[in-house]
Amino acid sequence: MSERLKEFREFREKMNARILESDNLEIKRFFALDTRAYEAGALPVQTKELMGLVASMVLRCDECVTYHIVRCAEEGVTRAQFLEAFNVALVVGGSITIPHLRRAVAALDELEAATGDLG
Amino acid sequence: MSERLKEFREFREKMNARILESDNLEIKRFFALDTRAYEAGALPVQTKELMGLVASMVLRCDECVTYHIVRCAEEGVTRAQFLEAFNVALVVGGSITIPHLRRAVAALDELEAATGDLG
Amino acid sequence: MSERLKEFREFREKMNARILESDNLEIKRFFALDTRAYEAGALPVQTKELMGLVASMVLRCDECVTYHIVRCAEEGVTRAQFLEAFNVALVVGGSITIPHLRRAVAALDELEAATGDLG
Amino acid sequence: MSERLKEFREFREKMNARILESDNLEIKRFFALDTRAYEAGALPVQTKELMGLVASMVLRCDECVTYHIVRCAEEGVTRAQFLEAFNVALVVGGSITIPHLRRAVAALDELEAATGDLG
Amino acid sequence: MSERLKEFREFREKMNARILESDNLEIKRFFALDTRAYEAGALPVQTKELMGLVASMVLRCDECVTYHIVRCAEEGVTRAQFLEAFNVALVVGGSITIPHLRRAVAALDELEAATGDLG
Amino acid sequence: MSERLKEFREFREKMNARILESDNLEIKRFFALDTRAYEAGALPVQTKELMGLVASMVLRCDECVTYHIVRCAEEGVTRAQFLEAFNVALVVGGSITIPHLRRAVAALDELEAATGDLG
């Protein structure tokens, strides 16, 4: 994994732990719901991760986009499929999403450099 | 189809025609790209419509949600799958999406009343 | 309560019941978290409802605004306090919130017409 | 002016008056700043109203869009110019703005039906 | 105060000064309204800063969140109260606010490291 | 041009090239529409770039704001005109845009330092 992706993951994990060690039960429950939303059910995990990716992109959250790119790749999403998902987000969300699209493609490139061709 | 869905579709079609009969070539091209984004490619139509549905819900656009619900149903999305897609949107977008969730479930109910159980 | 507020509350309650009778456990849990977020804790209920009101206004959700106005009034928020909360939302969210401000003041007027002066 | 535009304007004027008769000085000052932002300065009024129109469209506020369409028409904006402004908003804001584009074109049609061809 | 909070404050103060030394009277007036919105009135300062914090979090503006965290701490908001305010923002705004929640908790930690336990 | 603006432009150009060399025809077409939206037509280029600037600011996208500032300056927009455009965005979008306003004024300062007074 690239340096940038590693740093992102480390800050994410460190602060999630920090949040979950607090006494606020409701926040912990929200984090549990967030995890469960992407688990297999009537829809497969891959579809849910793709929905999470597109939602993150139209809402323009780079961290969320990077997170779902990594998860989608783990679920076997190919480069051509990523680009079609990005295109849906681009059409729905407009040119204001383009800076996020650039960083999403850069994250995809980093991921392929580290793990090999996504297919 | 229910009265409300019929009215929605009629206004939609009338104004789309009105927009496409204008002289603005760029807007027409955007509408073409919008249509093409959901066509079969590396990802199946159903997955793309589900991504469009979740994107519309987190961006809180009732018409877009209704449109993608109708299209998803045509692509065989079941009620249990709809609810899981709604749940992803609810978790990503928060309680501010709940009024749209209410109207989405009402649209789903209207659709089932008109076309029979979605399975 | 005015006709408009009554209709709003009826659709809200009907569809909430419809959503909660579904088999989707995660959505039910989200609704429970939503309720709990405004209960008394380290911060009093009134403060939490005021935070919910301002958040709803900057995110421009009329139903959410109406809901929190009713709840704030039940918690003793006065008209002068409402206007200061609206002003925070107006400054943070800009003139794009003004149509929602108009409907919020109309809801406040309806509420006072039905229940008497808010103080 | 059409029935719909008349109703919109009446509610707008009634509630603005209601807001401005309140004791909240800050809200009144915000309304004054809102008015002044579109007055002639280093940029002409027409350009400012067009900027307000596009901003309202990407932020997806129908009332704001209708208001700026009426003001732009008063400042001599032609139908071809309106469509180019709509196209900028559509490209920047994406397909999620299309329902607002439909209503904007409908408002433009109503305006032309009432006042004659915009040129 | 930590290095990051110091840099944030310095850029903020430098650019605010730069903006206020310009000839644009309207922008100066907006900044004045922004300051006044959080002053004591019918609602206490602490409540207004908490409303500003939650509004900033659901609108996902890290600088605004950091600013209101510092101000809330000055007004005596405790860690448990901060977490309840964050939870309201998380429920209203959804998982898309989580990256901002992580940075908010990091800012809170920095603040406590610099000024001692918030209570 | 300043170091920061140069880096911004380089990443932008590199990733745009990367995106356009992909096999996704729809994304390429979107990029073409994006370019065409700001070309001269019934409205002059300067007005379109100003509309793009204000839209980018209310949607709070720093890269988009920087891009349109550079383009507006090329089209002869003066500092006083920039400030009036910023003010429209500030009034429409609210104080949540202020961090972006700070960075926009910083970008304007960098641009003037590199190319001389904008007039």
Side-chain angles (χ1 to χ4, degrees), chain A residues 89-100:
Chain A
L90 179 60
V91 165
V92 173
S95 69
I96 207 80
T97 67
I98 289 181
H100 305 272

Side-chain angles (χ1 to χ4, degrees), chain B:
Chain B
M1 196 175 303
S2 79
E3 209 46 48
R4 208 183 61 93
L5 285 182
K6 221 181 285 177
E7 269 174 43
F8 160 69
R9 181 170 288 189
E10 279 168 16
F11 180 73
R12 194 178 167 276
E13 278 168 19
K14 181 185 144 199
M15 292 316 301
N16 280 4
R18 187 82 187 95
I19 289 166
L20 295 177
E21 84 196 16
S22 87
D23 287 333
N24 193 295
L25 186 61
E26 273 67 42
I27 294 182
K28 288 179 212 185
R29 284 187 176 148
F30 191 100
F31 274 60
L33 280 187
D34 185 23
T35 301
R36 241 164 301 172
Y38 301 97
E39 289 173 358
L43 288 169
V45 174
Q46 200 200 61
T47 303
K48 290 182 170 182
E49 287 294 340
L50 281 167
M51 296 189 304
L53 174 61
V54 171
S56 300
M57 207 144 182
V58 297
L59 289 176
R60 300 161 45 207
C61 171
D62 284 330
E63 285 95 330
C64 314
V65 167
T66 302
Y67 173 79
H68 287 293
I69 284 177
V70 172
R71 286 289 300 113
C72 281
E74 289 170 356
E75 298 297 325
V77 174
T78 65
R79 181 170 274 266
Q81 291 174 328
F82 270 116
L83 285 168
E84 292 190 3
F86 293 167
N87 183 48
V88 169
L90 179 61
V91 166
V92 173
S95 69
I96 208 80
T97 66
I98 289 181
H100 305 272
L101 173 61
R102 280 187 209 115
R103 288 189 285 270
V105 172
L108 211 57
D109 287 353
E110 287 178 43
L111 204 65
E112 281 202 321
T115 64
D117 201 318
L118 293 170

Side-chain angles (χ1 to χ4, degrees), chain C residues 57-107:
Chain C
M57 208 145 183
V58 297
L59 289 175
R60 298 157 49 205
C61 171
D62 283 331
E63 285 96 331
C64 314
V65 167
T66 302
Y67 173 79
H68 286 294
I69 284 177
V70 172
R71 285 292 297 116
C72 281
E74 288 170 357
E75 297 298 324
V77 173
T78 66
R79 180 170 274 267
Q81 290 174 329
F82 270 115
L83 285 168
E84 292 190 4
F86 293 167
N87 183 48
V88 169
L90 179 60
V91 166
V92 173
S95 70
I96 208 77
T97 67
I98 289 180
H100 305 272
L101 172 61
R102 278 186 211 114
R103 288 189 286 269
V105 171

Side-chain angles (χ1 to χ4, degrees), chain A:
Chain A
M1 196 175 304
S2 80
E3 209 46 50
R4 207 182 61 93
L5 285 182
K6 221 180 286 176
E7 269 175 42
F8 159 70
R9 182 169 289 189
E10 277 167 17
F11 180 74
R12 193 177 169 276
E13 278 168 20
K14 181 186 144 199
M15 292 317 299
N16 281 5
R18 188 81 187 97
I19 289 166
L20 296 177
E21 85 197 15
S22 87
D23 286 332
N24 192 296
L25 186 61
E26 272 66 43
I27 295 182
K28 289 178 211 184
R29 284 186 174 147
F30 191 101
F31 274 61
L33 280 187
D34 184 24
T35 301
R36 241 165 300 172
Y38 301 97
E39 289 173 358
L43 288 169
V45 174
Q46 200 199 62
T47 304
K48 290 182 170 183
E49 286 294 340
L50 282 166
M51 296 188 304
L53 174 61
V54 170
S56 300
M57 209 145 180
V58 298
L59 289 175
R60 298 159 48 206
C61 171
D62 284 330
E63 285 96 331
C64 314
V65 167
T66 302
Y67 173 80
H68 286 294
I69 284 177
V70 172
R71 285 290 300 115
C72 281
E74 289 169 356
E75 297 298 323
V77 173
T78 66
R79 181 170 274 266
Q81 291 174 328
F82 270 116
L83 285 168
E84 291 190 5
F86 293 166
N87 183 49
V88 169
L90 179 60
V91 165
V92 173
S95 69
I96 207 80
T97 67
I98 289 181
H100 305 272
L101 172 61
R102 279 186 211 115
R103 288 190 285 269
V105 172
L108 212 56
D109 287 353
E110 289 178 41
L111 204 64
E112 281 202 321
T115 63
D117 200 319
L118 293 170

Side-chain angles (χ1 to χ4, degrees), chain E residues 7-24:
Chain E
E7 269 175 43
F8 159 70
R9 180 170 289 188
E10 277 167 17
F11 180 74
R12 192 176 170 278
E13 277 169 18
K14 180 185 146 200
M15 293 316 301
N16 280 5
R18 187 84 186 94
I19 290 166
L20 295 177
E21 84 195 16
S22 85
D23 286 334
N24 193 296

